[in-house]
Amino acid sequence: MNFEMLKRQYEMIQKMYTEKRMLLHDSVHQDVLILEYLHDRKYEEAQTYFEKKIAATKKRSRNRYTGIEVLNLMLNYEIEQAEEKAINVDCAVEVYHCPVDETELCIIIGNLFDNAIEAVKDLQDEHRQIDFSIQNPNGIFRIEISNPYEGERRKIEHHYLTTKKQNTEMHGLGLMSVKKIVEKYDGLMEISDKDNVFRVVVTL
């Protein structure tokens, strides 16, 4: 089950990079055409085509939260997944340096968002909210994610479970994977569920 979960994370990353390569490939061909217009002194055609290209790029462009490309890809993907389920995401990111491997960062972000989305996707509209932030003060890398929840939260040997998922064996593995990575970097992972708000804070 853990393997299947990690496999899905890797497939998601591969899909995002493939989309990026396709955009770059298409952009090269578009630039060649514009260059041909300019070479033939077809300035109006070049301007029209370039304006269409810019408009299309803006339409499909994604937010850039940081200078860390893989983090931008992950956040865009996860926020899109949430928005497809009519979940509002408040994302506040201010980060200059990431102390963990890119793949491990994807596992952390992916698992935290997966848990949050699962917890709120069936709530009433006003409660479909995820708050996410990353701060990077004085060399500290701090991730915080929180969301409301319904139902009961259960812990077995400090591992959180939920009664919402049918496959209860799978649930909890995500947080365990995050914790394992955090411990590898001698970091700290704090989990709370006070006042029906589930919060995870990772500090590295």
Side-chain angles (χ1 to χ4, degrees), residues 178-191:
V178 173
K179 184 178 180 182
K180 185 175 180 180
I181 295 171
V182 172
E183 290 176 345
K184 172 183 175 181
Y185 290 90
D186 296 323
L188 179 65
M189 179 174 172
E190 302 171 275
I191 303 176

Side-chain angles (χ1 to χ4, degrees), residues 72-101:
N72 293 331
L73 288 169
M74 283 299 302
L75 291 178
N76 278 304
Y77 175 84
E78 295 295 348
I79 291 173
E80 285 177 6
Q81 295 302 300
E83 290 176 346
E84 287 180 3
K85 297 176 176 61
I87 299 171
N88 181 58
V89 179
D90 185 1
C91 184
V93 178
E94 186 177 356
V95 58
Y96 311 101
H97 169 69
C98 178
V100 303
D101 175 81

Side-chain angles (χ1 to χ4, degrees), residues 70 98-108 181 184-185:
V70 69
C98 178
V100 303
D101 175 81
E102 287 187 350
T103 301
E104 293 170 323
L105 178 63
C106 290
I107 293 173
I108 291 174
I181 295 171
K184 172 183 175 181
Y185 290 90

